[in-house]
Amino acid sequence: MLPAQHRMTRSAEFGATVSRGKRAAQPDIVVYTLRSDQAGEPGPRIGLIVSKAVGNAVARHKVSRRLRHAARAILDDLDPAEQVVIRALPPSRDAISPRLEQELRTALQRIRIRNGSPS
């Protein structure tokens, strides 16, 4: 489970991150990142989008748990002002946690390289 201060809960945050953020696609997930303009918000903040295209409720919850586990593993690598949305694609229902974590790390690295900050 992600700590409360790292969970994205507001629809406006999701919408802004997806529409204005940088995007990187992987086989099982799509990652969007955006620098937060709001001062005083403890960060980074992470949100998940797992649609019905992934599968039934059981499959969606399984994917959500795996993505939360992967997101928790990369929290220390994120900037406190960063907002991240992870969208699960239908093949993610068959992916194991280490694969999802590796895809998440790869996507974040690709976004950073495109922005000119390879760290």
Side-chain angles (χ1 to χ4, degrees):
M1 168 95 31
L2 283 170
Q5 74 262 25
H6 296 297
R7 283 185 235 144
M8 193 179 293
T9 56
R10 293 186 215 111
S11 177
E13 289 178 310
F14 278 89
T17 304
V18 171
S19 64
R20 295 184 311 171
K22 303 294 182 191
R23 174 185 181 274
Q26 293 291 303
D28 299 320
I29 59 173
V30 178
V31 178
Y32 303 88
T33 64
L34 180 68
R35 284 237 184 252
S36 176
D37 298 333
Q38 301 168 349
E41 290 277 332
R45 296 175 61 79
I46 298 175
L48 303 176
I49 300 173
V50 184
S51 74
K52 286 187 178 182
V54 171
N56 63 17
V58 173
R60 292 193 310 269
H61 284 87
K62 192 178 202 180
V63 169
S64 294
R65 284 192 303 272
R66 289 178 176 163
L67 287 174
R68 277 195 302 270
H69 179 76
R72 187 178 179 123
I74 58 112
L75 271 177
D76 293 335
D77 300 340
L78 298 174
D79 186 278
E82 215 164 1
Q83 292 181 343
V84 178
V85 171
I86 306 165
R87 180 186 300 272
L89 298 175
S92 66
R93 76 176 146 259
D94 301 321
I96 58 175
S97 294
R99 176 178 169 166
L100 291 173
E101 182 179 338
Q102 183 58 44
E103 287 186 9
L104 179 57
R105 288 183 188 280
T106 302
L108 289 170
Q109 185 177 19
R110 285 178 57 200
I111 290 170
R112 288 184 179 128
I113 288 171
R114 270 191 249 142
N115 287 341
S117 58
S119 57

Short mmCIF file of all heavy atoms in Angstrom, two decimals, residues 25-82:
data_model
loop_
_atom_site.label_atom_id
_atom_site.label_comp_id
_atom_site.label_asym_id
_atom_site.label_seq_id
_atom_site.Cartn_x
_atom_site.Cartn_y
_atom_site.Cartn_z
N ALA A 25 5.38 4.98 -23.11
CA ALA A 25 4.64 3.72 -23.20
C ALA A 25 5.59 2.53 -23.08
O ALA A 25 6.72 2.58 -23.56
CB ALA A 25 3.88 3.66 -24.51
N GLN A 26 5.09 1.49 -22.46
CA GLN A 26 5.77 0.22 -22.33
C GLN A 26 4.76 -0.86 -22.75
O GLN A 26 3.58 -0.55 -22.93
CB GLN A 26 6.22 -0.01 -20.88
CG GLN A 26 7.31 0.94 -20.41
CD GLN A 26 8.61 0.66 -21.12
OE1 GLN A 26 9.13 -0.44 -21.07
NE2 GLN A 26 9.14 1.66 -21.80
N PRO A 27 5.17 -2.11 -22.89
CA PRO A 27 4.22 -3.14 -23.33
C PRO A 27 3.00 -3.32 -22.41
O PRO A 27 1.91 -3.59 -22.90
CB PRO A 27 5.06 -4.42 -23.36
CG PRO A 27 6.45 -3.94 -23.56
CD PRO A 27 6.54 -2.62 -22.85
N ASP A 28 3.18 -3.15 -21.11
CA ASP A 28 2.08 -3.41 -20.16
C ASP A 28 1.50 -2.15 -19.53
O ASP A 28 0.42 -2.21 -18.94
CB ASP A 28 2.55 -4.34 -19.04
CG ASP A 28 3.00 -5.69 -19.57
OD1 ASP A 28 2.33 -6.21 -20.49
OD2 ASP A 28 4.01 -6.22 -19.09
N ILE A 29 2.22 -1.04 -19.58
CA ILE A 29 1.76 0.19 -18.91
C ILE A 29 2.11 1.42 -19.74
O ILE A 29 2.97 1.37 -20.60
CB ILE A 29 2.38 0.34 -17.49
CG1 ILE A 29 3.91 0.39 -17.57
CG2 ILE A 29 1.90 -0.74 -16.56
CD1 ILE A 29 4.58 0.70 -16.24
N VAL A 30 1.42 2.51 -19.44
CA VAL A 30 1.77 3.83 -19.96
C VAL A 30 1.97 4.72 -18.74
O VAL A 30 1.14 4.71 -17.82
CB VAL A 30 0.66 4.40 -20.87
CG1 VAL A 30 1.04 5.79 -21.36
CG2 VAL A 30 0.39 3.48 -22.03
N VAL A 31 3.07 5.46 -18.71
CA VAL A 31 3.40 6.30 -17.56
C VAL A 31 3.36 7.77 -17.99
O VAL A 31 3.91 8.13 -19.02
CB VAL A 31 4.80 5.96 -16.99
CG1 VAL A 31 5.17 6.87 -15.83
CG2 VAL A 31 4.85 4.49 -16.58
N TYR A 32 2.69 8.59 -17.17
CA TYR A 32 2.61 10.04 -17.39
C TYR A 32 3.24 10.71 -16.18
O TYR A 32 2.98 10.31 -15.03
CB TYR A 32 1.16 10.50 -17.48
CG TYR A 32 0.34 9.83 -18.54
CD1 TYR A 32 -0.33 8.65 -18.28
CD2 TYR A 32 0.22 10.39 -19.80
CE1 TYR A 32 -1.10 8.03 -19.24
CE2 TYR A 32 -0.56 9.77 -20.78
CZ TYR A 32 -1.21 8.59 -20.49
OH TYR A 32 -1.97 7.98 -21.45
N THR A 33 4.07 11.73 -16.39
CA THR A 33 4.64 12.49 -15.28
C THR A 33 4.44 13.97 -15.52
O THR A 33 4.44 14.45 -16.65
CB THR A 33 6.15 12.21 -15.09
OG1 THR A 33 6.84 12.67 -16.24
CG2 THR A 33 6.43 10.75 -14.85
N LEU A 34 4.29 14.69 -14.41
CA LEU A 34 4.11 16.13 -14.46
C LEU A 34 4.67 16.71 -13.17
O LEU A 34 4.48 16.14 -12.09
CB LEU A 34 2.62 16.48 -14.58
CG LEU A 34 2.24 17.95 -14.65
CD1 LEU A 34 2.73 18.57 -15.96
CD2 LEU A 34 0.74 18.12 -14.51
N ARG A 35 5.36 17.83 -13.30
CA ARG A 35 5.84 18.55 -12.11
C ARG A 35 4.68 19.30 -11.50
O ARG A 35 3.96 20.03 -12.19
CB ARG A 35 6.92 19.55 -12.50
CG ARG A 35 8.22 18.90 -12.78
CD ARG A 35 9.24 19.52 -11.85
NE ARG A 35 10.54 18.99 -12.13
CZ ARG A 35 11.15 18.15 -11.32
NH1 ARG A 35 10.57 17.76 -10.24
NH2 ARG A 35 12.35 17.73 -11.61
N SER A 36 4.47 19.15 -10.21
CA SER A 36 3.37 19.81 -9.52
C SER A 36 3.68 21.29 -9.31
O SER A 36 4.80 21.66 -8.98
CB SER A 36 3.13 19.15 -8.17
OG SER A 36 2.15 19.83 -7.45
N ASP A 37 2.68 22.13 -9.52
CA ASP A 37 2.83 23.57 -9.31
C ASP A 37 2.47 23.96 -7.88
O ASP A 37 2.74 25.07 -7.45
CB ASP A 37 1.92 24.35 -10.26
CG ASP A 37 2.28 24.09 -11.71
OD1 ASP A 37 3.44 23.76 -11.98
OD2 ASP A 37 1.39 24.20 -12.57
N GLN A 38 1.85 23.04 -7.16
CA GLN A 38 1.36 23.36 -5.82
C GLN A 38 2.46 23.19 -4.79
O GLN A 38 3.02 22.12 -4.62
CB GLN A 38 0.20 22.44 -5.46
CG GLN A 38 -0.96 22.55 -6.42
CD GLN A 38 -1.99 21.45 -6.22
OE1 GLN A 38 -1.73 20.49 -5.52
NE2 GLN A 38 -3.13 21.60 -6.85
N ALA A 39 2.75 24.28 -4.09
CA ALA A 39 3.76 24.23 -3.02
C ALA A 39 3.09 23.70 -1.75
O ALA A 39 1.91 23.89 -1.52
CB ALA A 39 4.33 25.61 -2.77
N GLY A 40 3.86 23.04 -0.93
CA GLY A 40 3.34 22.54 0.33
C GLY A 40 2.76 21.14 0.26
O GLY A 40 2.48 20.54 1.28
N GLU A 41 2.56 20.62 -0.94
CA GLU A 41 2.06 19.26 -1.09
C GLU A 41 3.22 18.28 -0.88
O GLU A 41 4.21 18.36 -1.58
CB GLU A 41 1.47 19.05 -2.48
CG GLU A 41 0.18 19.77 -2.73
CD GLU A 41 -1.02 19.01 -2.22
OE1 GLU A 41 -0.98 17.78 -2.15
OE2 GLU A 41 -2.00 19.68 -1.85
N PRO A 42 3.09 17.37 0.08
CA PRO A 42 4.15 16.37 0.22
C PRO A 42 4.10 15.43 -0.97
O PRO A 42 3.03 15.05 -1.42
CB PRO A 42 3.81 15.65 1.52
CG PRO A 42 2.34 15.85 1.69
CD PRO A 42 2.01 17.16 1.04
N GLY A 43 5.21 15.13 -1.51
CA GLY A 43 5.19 14.32 -2.72
C GLY A 43 6.24 13.25 -2.67
O GLY A 43 6.87 13.08 -1.65
N PRO A 44 6.46 12.60 -3.71
CA PRO A 44 5.74 12.60 -4.98
C PRO A 44 4.36 11.96 -4.82
O PRO A 44 4.08 11.29 -3.84
CB PRO A 44 6.62 11.75 -5.89
CG PRO A 44 7.32 10.82 -4.96
CD PRO A 44 7.52 11.60 -3.69
N ARG A 45 3.49 12.19 -5.81
CA ARG A 45 2.14 11.64 -5.76
C ARG A 45 1.97 10.70 -6.95
O ARG A 45 2.34 11.02 -8.07
CB ARG A 45 1.11 12.76 -5.77
CG ARG A 45 1.26 13.61 -4.50
CD ARG A 45 0.38 14.80 -4.46
NE ARG A 45 -1.04 14.55 -4.49
CZ ARG A 45 -1.78 14.16 -3.44
NH1 ARG A 45 -1.21 13.97 -2.29
NH2 ARG A 45 -3.08 14.00 -3.56
N ILE A 46 1.37 9.54 -6.68
CA ILE A 46 1.22 8.51 -7.69
C ILE A 46 -0.24 8.09 -7.78
O ILE A 46 -0.91 7.91 -6.76
CB ILE A 46 2.09 7.28 -7.35
CG1 ILE A 46 3.56 7.68 -7.34
CG2 ILE A 46 1.85 6.15 -8.34
CD1 ILE A 46 4.51 6.61 -6.90
N GLY A 47 -0.73 7.96 -9.02
CA GLY A 47 -2.10 7.51 -9.25
C GLY A 47 -2.10 6.36 -10.24
O GLY A 47 -1.22 6.24 -11.08
N LEU A 48 -3.11 5.50 -10.12
CA LEU A 48 -3.25 4.34 -10.99
C LEU A 48 -4.55 4.43 -11.78
O LEU A 48 -5.57 4.85 -11.24
CB LEU A 48 -3.28 3.05 -10.18
CG LEU A 48 -2.10 2.76 -9.26
CD1 LEU A 48 -2.35 1.48 -8.48
CD2 LEU A 48 -0.82 2.64 -10.05
N ILE A 49 -4.50 4.02 -13.04
CA ILE A 49 -5.69 3.88 -13.86
C ILE A 49 -5.71 2.45 -14.37
O ILE A 49 -4.83 2.04 -15.13
CB ILE A 49 -5.69 4.86 -15.05
CG1 ILE A 49 -5.64 6.30 -14.56
CG2 ILE A 49 -6.92 4.62 -15.92
CD1 ILE A 49 -5.46 7.32 -15.68
N VAL A 50 -6.69 1.68 -13.91
CA VAL A 50 -6.84 0.28 -14.33
C VAL A 50 -8.27 0.14 -14.82
O VAL A 50 -9.20 -0.01 -14.03
CB VAL A 50 -6.53 -0.70 -13.19
CG1 VAL A 50 -6.60 -2.14 -13.69
CG2 VAL A 50 -5.16 -0.42 -12.59
N SER A 51 -8.46 0.18 -16.14
CA SER A 51 -9.81 0.17 -16.71
C SER A 51 -10.36 -1.24 -16.86
O SER A 51 -9.65 -2.23 -16.68
CB SER A 51 -9.80 0.86 -18.08
OG SER A 51 -9.18 0.02 -19.03
N LYS A 52 -11.62 -1.31 -17.24
CA LYS A 52 -12.28 -2.60 -17.45
C LYS A 52 -11.67 -3.37 -18.62
O LYS A 52 -11.89 -4.57 -18.74
CB LYS A 52 -13.78 -2.40 -17.68
CG LYS A 52 -14.52 -2.04 -16.42
CD LYS A 52 -16.01 -2.02 -16.68
CE LYS A 52 -16.75 -1.71 -15.39
NZ LYS A 52 -18.20 -1.73 -15.61
N ALA A 53 -10.92 -2.69 -19.47
CA ALA A 53 -10.26 -3.38 -20.58
C ALA A 53 -9.23 -4.39 -20.07
O ALA A 53 -8.89 -5.35 -20.76
CB ALA A 53 -9.58 -2.38 -21.51
N VAL A 54 -8.72 -4.17 -18.84
CA VAL A 54 -7.73 -5.08 -18.25
C VAL A 54 -8.38 -6.42 -17.89
O VAL A 54 -7.74 -7.46 -17.98
CB VAL A 54 -7.08 -4.43 -17.01
CG1 VAL A 54 -6.21 -5.41 -16.25
CG2 VAL A 54 -6.27 -3.21 -17.43
N GLY A 55 -9.64 -6.39 -17.49
CA GLY A 55 -10.32 -7.63 -17.13
C GLY A 55 -11.42 -7.39 -16.13
O GLY A 55 -11.83 -6.24 -15.89
N ASN A 56 -11.88 -8.47 -15.51
CA ASN A 56 -12.94 -8.34 -14.51
C ASN A 56 -12.38 -7.74 -13.22
O ASN A 56 -11.19 -7.42 -13.14
CB ASN A 56 -13.61 -9.69 -14.27
CG ASN A 56 -12.66 -10.73 -13.70
OD1 ASN A 56 -11.60 -10.40 -13.19
ND2 ASN A 56 -13.05 -11.99 -13.80
N ALA A 57 -13.22 -7.58 -12.23
CA ALA A 57 -12.81 -6.92 -10.98
C ALA A 57 -11.63 -7.61 -10.31
O ALA A 57 -10.73 -6.96 -9.79
CB ALA A 57 -13.99 -6.84 -10.02
N VAL A 58 -11.63 -8.93 -10.33
CA VAL A 58 -10.54 -9.68 -9.70
C VAL A 58 -9.22 -9.37 -10.40
O VAL A 58 -8.20 -9.11 -9.76
CB VAL A 58 -10.84 -11.19 -9.71
CG1 VAL A 58 -9.66 -11.99 -9.21
CG2 VAL A 58 -12.08 -11.49 -8.88
N ALA A 59 -9.23 -9.40 -11.73
CA ALA A 59 -8.01 -9.13 -12.50
C ALA A 59 -7.55 -7.69 -12.29
O ALA A 59 -6.34 -7.43 -12.14
CB ALA A 59 -8.26 -9.39 -13.98
N ARG A 60 -8.49 -6.74 -12.27
CA ARG A 60 -8.13 -5.32 -12.08
C ARG A 60 -7.51 -5.10 -10.71
O ARG A 60 -6.51 -4.38 -10.59
CB ARG A 60 -9.35 -4.42 -12.27
CG ARG A 60 -9.84 -4.38 -13.69
CD ARG A 60 -10.84 -3.26 -13.93
NE ARG A 60 -11.92 -3.18 -12.98
CZ ARG A 60 -13.10 -3.78 -13.12
NH1 ARG A 60 -13.34 -4.54 -14.18
NH2 ARG A 60 -14.04 -3.61 -12.21
N HIS A 61 -8.07 -5.70 -9.68
CA HIS A 61 -7.51 -5.53 -8.34
C HIS A 61 -6.13 -6.17 -8.22
O HIS A 61 -5.25 -5.64 -7.56
CB HIS A 61 -8.47 -6.09 -7.28
CG HIS A 61 -9.62 -5.19 -7.03
ND1 HIS A 61 -10.77 -5.24 -7.78
CD2 HIS A 61 -9.79 -4.19 -6.14
CE1 HIS A 61 -11.60 -4.32 -7.35
NE2 HIS A 61 -11.03 -3.66 -6.36
N LYS A 62 -5.94 -7.29 -8.88
CA LYS A 62 -4.64 -7.96 -8.87
C LYS A 62 -3.59 -7.07 -9.53
O LYS A 62 -2.48 -6.88 -9.00
CB LYS A 62 -4.76 -9.28 -9.62
CG LYS A 62 -3.61 -10.21 -9.48
CD LYS A 62 -3.95 -11.49 -10.26
CE LYS A 62 -3.14 -12.66 -9.77
NZ LYS A 62 -3.47 -13.89 -10.52
N VAL A 63 -3.94 -6.48 -10.68
CA VAL A 63 -3.03 -5.58 -11.38
C VAL A 63 -2.76 -4.35 -10.52
O VAL A 63 -1.61 -3.89 -10.41
CB VAL A 63 -3.59 -5.20 -12.76
CG1 VAL A 63 -2.79 -4.06 -13.38
CG2 VAL A 63 -3.59 -6.41 -13.68
N SER A 64 -3.79 -3.80 -9.88
CA SER A 64 -3.63 -2.62 -9.02
C SER A 64 -2.65 -2.90 -7.88
O SER A 64 -1.79 -2.07 -7.58
CB SER A 64 -4.97 -2.18 -8.44
OG SER A 64 -5.82 -1.72 -9.46
N ARG A 65 -2.79 -4.06 -7.24
CA ARG A 65 -1.89 -4.41 -6.14
C ARG A 65 -0.46 -4.51 -6.64
O ARG A 65 0.49 -4.02 -6.01
CB ARG A 65 -2.30 -5.73 -5.50
CG ARG A 65 -3.50 -5.62 -4.60
CD ARG A 65 -3.70 -6.87 -3.75
NE ARG A 65 -3.83 -8.08 -4.55
CZ ARG A 65 -4.97 -8.55 -5.03
NH1 ARG A 65 -6.09 -7.89 -4.83
NH2 ARG A 65 -5.00 -9.66 -5.73
N ARG A 66 -0.25 -5.12 -7.80
CA ARG A 66 1.10 -5.25 -8.36
C ARG A 66 1.68 -3.88 -8.73
O ARG A 66 2.86 -3.63 -8.50
CB ARG A 66 1.07 -6.16 -9.58
CG ARG A 66 0.84 -7.60 -9.21
CD ARG A 66 0.76 -8.49 -10.42
NE ARG A 66 0.63 -9.88 -10.00
CZ ARG A 66 0.22 -10.85 -10.79
NH1 ARG A 66 -0.06 -10.59 -12.05
NH2 ARG A 66 0.11 -12.06 -10.33
N LEU A 67 0.86 -3.01 -9.29
CA LEU A 67 1.34 -1.67 -9.65
C LEU A 67 1.66 -0.85 -8.41
O LEU A 67 2.64 -0.10 -8.39
CB LEU A 67 0.32 -0.96 -10.53
CG LEU A 67 0.22 -1.47 -11.96
CD1 LEU A 67 -0.93 -0.78 -12.68
CD2 LEU A 67 1.52 -1.27 -12.71
N ARG A 68 0.85 -0.96 -7.36
CA ARG A 68 1.15 -0.24 -6.12
C ARG A 68 2.47 -0.71 -5.53
O ARG A 68 3.27 0.08 -5.03
CB ARG A 68 0.02 -0.41 -5.10
CG ARG A 68 -1.13 0.53 -5.30
CD ARG A 68 -2.05 0.58 -4.09
NE ARG A 68 -2.60 -0.71 -3.74
CZ ARG A 68 -3.74 -1.19 -4.23
NH1 ARG A 68 -4.44 -0.50 -5.10
NH2 ARG A 68 -4.18 -2.37 -3.83
N HIS A 69 2.70 -2.01 -5.59
CA HIS A 69 3.97 -2.57 -5.09
C HIS A 69 5.14 -2.02 -5.90
O HIS A 69 6.17 -1.61 -5.32
CB HIS A 69 3.92 -4.10 -5.18
CG HIS A 69 5.16 -4.77 -4.74
ND1 HIS A 69 5.50 -4.91 -3.40
CD2 HIS A 69 6.17 -5.33 -5.44
CE1 HIS A 69 6.66 -5.53 -3.31
NE2 HIS A 69 7.09 -5.80 -4.53
N ALA A 70 5.00 -1.97 -7.21
CA ALA A 70 6.06 -1.43 -8.07
C ALA A 70 6.26 0.06 -7.79
O ALA A 70 7.40 0.54 -7.73
CB ALA A 70 5.72 -1.66 -9.53
N ALA A 71 5.18 0.79 -7.62
CA ALA A 71 5.27 2.23 -7.37
C ALA A 71 5.96 2.51 -6.03
O ALA A 71 6.76 3.45 -5.92
CB ALA A 71 3.88 2.86 -7.39
N ARG A 72 5.65 1.72 -5.04
CA ARG A 72 6.29 1.91 -3.73
C ARG A 72 7.80 1.71 -3.82
O ARG A 72 8.58 2.40 -3.16
CB ARG A 72 5.68 0.96 -2.71
CG ARG A 72 6.15 1.21 -1.31
CD ARG A 72 5.49 0.29 -0.32
NE ARG A 72 6.01 0.59 0.98
CZ ARG A 72 5.27 0.94 2.01
NH1 ARG A 72 3.97 1.03 1.88
NH2 ARG A 72 5.82 1.21 3.16
N ALA A 73 8.22 0.79 -4.68
CA ALA A 73 9.66 0.51 -4.83
C ALA A 73 10.42 1.67 -5.46
O ALA A 73 11.61 1.82 -5.23
CB ALA A 73 9.85 -0.76 -5.65
N ILE A 74 9.73 2.51 -6.25
CA ILE A 74 10.43 3.60 -6.94
C ILE A 74 10.19 4.96 -6.28
O ILE A 74 10.66 5.98 -6.80
CB ILE A 74 10.04 3.65 -8.43
CG1 ILE A 74 8.53 3.83 -8.62
CG2 ILE A 74 10.49 2.43 -9.17
CD1 ILE A 74 8.18 5.15 -9.18
N LEU A 75 9.49 5.01 -5.17
CA LEU A 75 9.19 6.29 -4.51
C LEU A 75 10.44 7.12 -4.22
O LEU A 75 10.44 8.33 -4.43
CB LEU A 75 8.45 6.06 -3.19
CG LEU A 75 6.94 6.01 -3.26
CD1 LEU A 75 6.36 5.69 -1.89
CD2 LEU A 75 6.35 7.26 -3.82
N ASP A 76 11.51 6.47 -3.77
CA ASP A 76 12.73 7.20 -3.42
C ASP A 76 13.44 7.79 -4.63
O ASP A 76 14.23 8.72 -4.51
CB ASP A 76 13.70 6.28 -2.66
CG ASP A 76 13.15 5.89 -1.30
OD1 ASP A 76 12.32 6.64 -0.75
OD2 ASP A 76 13.54 4.82 -0.80
N ASP A 77 13.15 7.26 -5.82
CA ASP A 77 13.78 7.74 -7.05
C ASP A 77 13.07 8.96 -7.64
O ASP A 77 13.59 9.58 -8.57
CB ASP A 77 13.80 6.64 -8.12
CG ASP A 77 14.56 5.42 -7.66
OD1 ASP A 77 15.37 5.53 -6.73
OD2 ASP A 77 14.33 4.33 -8.23
N LEU A 78 11.90 9.29 -7.11
CA LEU A 78 11.11 10.39 -7.67
C LEU A 78 11.38 11.70 -6.96
O LEU A 78 11.70 11.72 -5.77
CB LEU A 78 9.61 10.06 -7.56
CG LEU A 78 9.13 8.84 -8.33
CD1 LEU A 78 7.67 8.56 -8.01
CD2 LEU A 78 9.32 9.03 -9.81
N ASP A 79 11.22 12.78 -7.70
CA ASP A 79 11.34 14.13 -7.15
C ASP A 79 10.08 14.43 -6.33
O ASP A 79 8.98 14.05 -6.73
CB ASP A 79 11.47 15.12 -8.31
CG ASP A 79 11.74 16.51 -7.83
OD1 ASP A 79 10.77 17.18 -7.46
OD2 ASP A 79 12.90 16.93 -7.85
N PRO A 80 10.20 15.13 -5.19
CA PRO A 80 9.02 15.42 -4.37
C PRO A 80 7.94 16.23 -5.08
O PRO A 80 6.78 16.17 -4.70
CB PRO A 80 9.59 16.22 -3.19
CG PRO A 80 11.00 15.83 -3.11
CD PRO A 80 11.43 15.53 -4.52
N ALA A 81 8.28 16.96 -6.12
CA ALA A 81 7.28 17.77 -6.83
C ALA A 81 6.66 17.01 -8.01
O ALA A 81 5.87 17.58 -8.76
CB ALA A 81 7.92 19.05 -7.34
N GLU A 82 6.99 15.74 -8.15
CA GLU A 82 6.55 14.98 -9.31
C GLU A 82 5.19 14.31 -9.06
O GLU A 82 4.92 13.81 -7.98
CB GLU A 82 7.59 13.91 -9.63
CG GLU A 82 7.76 13.62 -11.07
CD GLU A 82 9.04 12.85 -11.36
OE1 GLU A 82 9.80 12.51 -10.44
OE2 GLU A 82 9.27 12.59 -12.53
#
